[in-house]
Amino acid sequence: MSAIPHEVAHLAGEDFFSAPVRTGASISPDGTRIAHLAPWRERLNVWVESGDSDEEARCVTTDDNRSVHTYHWTDDPRWLLYEQDGDGDENWHLYRVDLENPDAEAVDLTPFPGAKIIGFEPQVRRPGKAIGSLNRRKLTAFGLFELDTATGDRTMLAENPGQVVGWLCTPDGELYTHTRTVDGDIELARWEAGTGALCPVTTFDGADYPLGVQPFQLTPDGTGAWIGSNRDSDLTRLARLDLVTGEETPVDSHPFFDLDTRSTVSPSLPSPLIRDRRTGELLGVRYLGERQVIHPLDPRFGAVLEKLSDGDLSTLSSDVSGQRWVVAFTHDRDPGVTYYYDHSTGESRLLFRPMPRLEPETLAPMTPVTVLARDGLALPSYLTLPTGAEPAGLPLVLLVPLVHGGPWYRDGWGSTPWCGYWPRSAPYWPKPAPSHLAHERVHPLAFRALITPADTPFTAAQARHPPRRRGRVDKVAFEPRERSMAWSTREIAEIAGTTLRAVRHYHEVGLLEEPERRANGYKQYGVAHLIRVLRIKRLTDLGFSLSQIAAMGDLDDQPEEALRALDTELGATIERLRQARIELGLILRQAATTDLPSEFAQAAAEAQLSDVDRSFIVVMTRILGPQGLRAYSELLRSRPTYPLASKFAALPANADEQTRQDLAERTAPYVRALHAEHPGLRNAHADAPSGAHFAAQTIGKAIEDLYNSAQLDVLRRMQPLLHAAPDPPHPPARRASIDTA
């Protein structure tokens, strides 16, 4: 059978793959304003417009580097929050916009370098508050915090000890954790706020939940959680988990389909649970077959599902009264079409079409087709055929089920721009990630293609029982366009063997020129940038600081003078390290402390100094010169004994005057004899680097800090006794603290 004559509209690839003119709309809690994402300086940003008037929308975020993906209304109509990362590092920060002050800059509510926020969610029962997880303390451990959206104050509710992979916080402030056991299972436990102890509630088989239990959301009363359960079933259904007993109670299910949990992998897709904005109660549940199926659980919500579009319900939002709704639809020929719906009147109006240049009637429909696998398993698949022509000679590869991501995720029905393009040459095959289509502007396609059907009919019936051979595409015409090959920041860092942060720092300090950017805002590095990064890394590995490298100028010239200076510096460093090794060996052999110089270490260890004595000696070693240090070192080596040392050390602060005077009189002869045996002690301050006066002052302060009032009084009472006493016949004693008198 020959092809049916049909004039095919010629559409440019830019029309399919460029950024939407508007997308991601939602209504404010009070129902007066509608926000959406739209380009500003070629990046998607948040715009806000009135829900009741025709006034122009106002751009409220101004990020010209990367598109804004996610935003949040708050219960206060003044504040709007949005999430953004830094140059694609996926470290998401939370920013606040003041809608009443258009000139105010956005405020970073999580201003911690290298940290990211996940699981951010406003608190239905706590106005003005929201909770989220943040890895401020440790990058691999996300603690739970509460945010005051008006003030920006953050309150840490719990620090992650390391094993927690998820948190729940009830309206009453009770905390629950998800942790992975050593066997790979998932354990839900109650967190004891005072002690951090975990009290197990229930355990889920990790083999049944490879990405965790999804969904897992608290019920409004905080006594349970709605979970996606496949306990004793091959299908994932909705159940209520009691947080005290761990028991599951069925809530809703579909006889053939699983809950639509794809939002676990693709956050841009809607949650399987549709909830009331004001109360948090369930309105409906999503399931995924060949197309979406929604079970309304609230009778009033059933009316909202009236056919505004023949597409599948995508994102939706309402005001807190549940009267005003903004609803977007997934559609194969009219992607993202969005309506405003008034529940009180039943009236609706079209808000916008994200891709207005693509007329639905000119696009090919996507037909759900179930393919039977060899083992009899039914695989949901999707077939797109040229419009206005009999299907013939088409490649069966088009029918391969879209199961990206593994068993917990698959693609669904809807607009897929590249289905109509089938070039022969691999370099011109576009591979943008699906999530980018709605958020990032990408390069225009490198080709324009048109598939011409052949003469062999091909029907949906054949698709259900396909032969074991591929079909073919008879004709594919394409026009090559300019191609651009470049590395991203992450790629050039990996090739150079450095880090993403290092490359960005080279830009900040002026060592590396900023490369050109693609239309989607990403940097594109070339060979010259790679060579520059490699040279910087080579010099830093040799020991040059970045400031020294900057002073060299052009790294193409051999910096001989700088290299010779570095060689001299490295020689000195090697000598310092050699001396350090010698000293380290002495410390290890003598089992000495590391706070004393080597010349004191052995003597101090053998003298068995008390903590007070050792602390005093440490101070002395920092303020005395070589002469004074030698005198004290000789004193320690001689190891004289002092019979009254233990009495002085044990003297209480409240000792009576007679006891102090007696101890001073009995100690003075020993100290005087000690000075006679070691005359260098009298002039120990003479060669102090900071002067004798400073050394004397410092020693005096150390003595006052180390000894109690009674001991200090004994030292003061000894001073006139030392000058009045006759020369002793022999040196009898040691006591480092009293020797200084």
Side-chain angles (χ1 to χ4, degrees):
M1 183 182 295
S2 61
I4 300 174
H6 178 72
E7 184 176 346
V8 179
H10 288 268
L11 300 173
E14 292 90 334
D15 295 335
F16 285 88
F17 292 93
S18 60
V21 296
R22 282 203 288 179
T23 188
S26 66
I27 194 167
S28 63
D30 61 6
T32 62
R33 287 178 285 190
I34 297 174
H36 64 266
L37 301 176
W40 179 81
R41 295 188 179 177
E42 299 186 342
R43 303 290 177 268
L44 292 181
N45 276 271
V46 182
W47 296 65
V48 174
E49 61 185 327
S50 171
D52 301 317
S53 67
D54 295 331
E55 67 179 40
E56 291 187 359
R58 175 170 63 91
C59 185
V60 298
T61 65
T62 54
D63 195 325
D64 59 359
N65 181 41
R66 283 175 50 76
S67 292
V68 175
H69 297 181
T70 305
Y71 68 90
H72 310 272
W73 286 106
T74 69
D75 49 25
D76 186 337
R78 176 176 180 178
W79 310 114
L80 184 140
L81 309 178
Y82 71 95
E83 299 177 29
Q84 184 59 291
D85 68 346
D87 248 358
D89 60 7
E90 297 187 2
N91 290 330
W92 303 103
H93 284 216
L94 187 68
Y95 293 84
R96 186 187 66 198
V97 174
D98 188 346
L99 298 182
E100 294 181 3
N101 186 358
D103 297 327
E105 294 185 356
V107 177
D108 187 351
L109 300 179
T110 52
F112 310 115
K116 67 188 296 183
I117 180 175
I118 60 174
F120 177 79
E121 185 177 0
Q123 293 285 72
V124 174
R125 297 295 180 91
R126 288 175 57 80
K129 306 291 186 181
I131 60 172
S133 296
L134 188 67
N135 59 342
R136 175 186 178 183
R137 183 175 58 90
K138 185 179 179 182
L139 294 183
T140 57
F142 285 82
L144 189 70
F145 76 100
E146 183 178 63
L147 173 72
D148 187 308
T149 55
T151 66
D153 293 339
R154 295 170 300 273
T155 303
M156 288 304 300
L157 303 178
E159 290 284 6
N160 192 336
Q163 75 272 29
V164 176
V165 296
W167 298 91
L168 292 175
C169 180
T170 71
D172 296 331
E174 276 198 325
L175 300 182
Y176 292 84
T177 67
H178 296 167
T179 58
R180 285 279 182 181
T181 68
V182 293
D183 297 324
D185 296 330
I186 302 167
E187 183 178 80
L188 175 70
R190 188 177 72 256
W191 171 279
E192 295 291 347
T195 63
L198 297 180
C199 302
V201 175
T202 189
T203 301
F204 301 90
D205 189 338
D208 290 336
Y209 301 92
L211 284 187
V213 182
Q214 299 292 340
F216 206 128
Q217 295 189 9
L218 278 172
T219 58
D221 60 9
T223 63
W226 290 309
I227 67 171
S229 174
N230 52 32
R231 198 182 295 272
D232 303 323
S233 174
D234 290 334
L235 297 175
T236 302
R237 60 189 183 277
L238 184 64
R240 182 188 183 279
L241 178 73
D242 190 295
L243 293 180
V244 176
T245 65
E247 295 181 359
E248 293 183 18
T249 304
V251 175
D252 191 67
S253 62
H254 192 284
F256 308 113
F257 304 146
D258 292 290
L259 280 176
D260 187 357
T261 59
R262 293 175 298 163
S263 59
T264 305
V265 178
S266 296
S268 60
L269 295 174
S271 167
L273 305 185
I274 305 172
R275 304 177 65 179
D276 186 290
R277 188 172 202 165
R278 179 177 59 87
T279 67
E281 294 290 351
L282 277 178
L283 298 178
V285 184
R286 302 175 194 261
Y287 297 90
L288 183 62
E290 289 183 334
R291 287 184 57 174
Q292 177 186 183
V293 175
I294 294 181
H295 283 181
L297 301 185
D298 185 298
R300 298 179 68 250
F301 178 65
V304 179
L305 295 178
E306 293 178 354
K307 291 293 184 180
L308 300 176
S309 166
D310 58 351
D312 288 349
L313 187 67
S314 180
T315 58
L316 74 164
S317 62
S318 73
D319 60 9
V320 292
S321 70
Q323 298 302 311
R324 303 177 180 183
W325 294 78
V326 169
V327 187
F329 289 87
T330 297
H331 201 283
D332 57 346
R333 288 167 292 110
D334 199 3
V337 60
T338 303
Y339 290 87
Y340 176 90
Y341 171 74
D342 190 322
H343 190 59
S344 60
T345 64
E347 296 179 355
S348 64
R349 58 183 169 88
L350 176 67
L351 278 181
F352 59 83
R353 298 176 56 245
M355 315 293 284
R357 297 182 64 180
L358 297 177
E359 294 295 338
E361 58 270 15
T362 65
L363 302 180
M366 175 180 281
T367 305
V369 176
T370 298
V371 177
L372 295 178
R374 293 179 183 178
D375 60 2
L377 182 66
L379 303 178
S381 307
Y382 302 93
L383 175 65
T384 300
L385 299 175
T387 58
E390 289 287 344
L394 296 172
L396 293 183
V397 71
L398 284 175
L399 293 173
V400 172
L402 301 177
V403 290
H404 302 157
W408 51 84
Y409 178 83
R410 69 172 175 87
D411 282 327
W413 176 84
S415 175
T416 307
W418 53 85
C419 277
Y421 291 84
W422 198 257
R424 293 180 187 273
S425 181
Y428 299 99
W429 175 239
K431 296 182 180 178
S435 59
H436 289 177
L437 299 179
H439 304 306
E440 298 290 350
R441 180 172 181 178
V442 298
H443 268 311
L445 286 180
F447 62 90
R448 184 179 293 134
L450 172 65
I451 296 179
T452 303
D455 296 334
T456 305
F458 185 84
T459 66
Q462 288 174 295
R464 293 184 180 273
H465 301 282
R468 297 180 182 178
R469 62 178 178 82
R470 288 179 182 265
R472 61 186 175 86
V473 177
D474 281 45
K475 298 179 181 179
V476 178
F478 60 87
E479 301 171 9
R481 295 186 181 176
E482 179 183 356
R483 296 175 59 206
S484 176
M485 293 298 295
W487 295 303
S488 67
T489 309
R490 188 176 301 278
E491 289 170 337
I492 198 173
E494 291 176 353
I495 296 172
T498 186
T499 64
L500 191 67
R501 180 174 294 182
V503 174
R504 289 174 180 157
H505 187 61
Y506 297 160
H507 287 309
E508 292 172 1
V509 299
L511 283 176
L512 184 64
E513 291 184 359
E514 287 280 345
E516 294 182 359
R517 293 179 180 266
R518 299 185 178 96
N520 62 357
Y522 285 100
K523 299 184 182 74
Q524 48 182 4
Y525 295 85
V527 173
H529 297 97
L530 175 61
I531 293 174
R532 177 74 177 183
V533 172
L534 289 172
R535 286 174 175 162
I536 295 172
K537 185 175 182 297
R538 174 63 171 162
L539 290 173
T540 56
D541 290 344
L542 287 173
F544 284 101
S545 67
L546 295 183
S547 59
Q548 290 173 318
I549 297 174
M552 294 179 191
D554 190 355
L555 300 184
D556 290 334
D557 298 330
Q558 293 297 328
E560 183 176 350
E561 183 178 347
L563 291 174
R564 291 189 182 279
L566 178 62
D567 183 62
T568 301
E569 182 181 332
L570 290 176
T573 301
I574 291 171
E575 177 59 25
R576 178 179 58 81
L577 294 175
R578 189 183 69 82
Q579 292 295 333
R581 288 200 66 195
I582 293 174
E583 187 170 336
L584 180 61
L586 290 173
I587 293 173
L588 292 174
R589 287 194 298 273
Q590 298 165 2
T593 60
T594 57
D595 51 8
L596 289 172
S598 57
E599 59 267 26
F600 279 86
Q602 183 176 2
E606 294 175 352
Q608 298 180 348
L609 297 178
S610 67
D611 290 341
V612 172
D613 291 341
R614 181 163 42 251
S615 298
F616 184 80
I617 293 296
V618 170
V619 174
M620 301 287 281
T621 62
R622 303 309 303 167
I623 61 173
L624 296 182
Q627 176 181 321
L629 292 176
R630 186 165 51 253
Y632 276 94
S633 177
E634 291 173 355
L635 172 64
L636 287 178
R637 290 194 187 95
S638 67
R639 289 182 292 168
T641 58
Y642 172 37
L644 298 177
S646 59
K647 292 185 177 295
F648 182 85
L651 187 67
N654 60 352
D656 59 68
E657 183 175 353
Q658 182 60 43
T659 301
R660 301 179 197 179
Q661 181 65 27
D662 179 66
L663 186 59
E665 292 175 354
R666 295 173 62 189
T667 303
Y670 293 99
V671 174
R672 186 170 178 82
L674 198 62
H675 284 171
E677 179 71 14
H678 300 279
L681 294 175
R682 295 185 179 276
N683 298 317
H685 307 159
D687 64 339
S690 298
H693 179 69
F694 174 80
Q697 276 189 328
T698 304
I699 291 173
K701 291 178 181 178
I703 291 173
E704 290 180 1
D705 185 62
L706 291 171
Y707 299 106
N708 64 38
S709 57
Q711 292 169 327
L712 293 174
D713 186 47
V714 170
L715 296 179
R716 283 192 293 269
R717 290 171 184 268
M718 281 200 323
Q719 295 304 316
L721 297 175
L722 290 174
H723 292 89
D727 291 335
H730 57 275
R734 71 150 288 276
R735 174 69 189 180
S737 56
I738 296 180
D739 295 343
T740 62

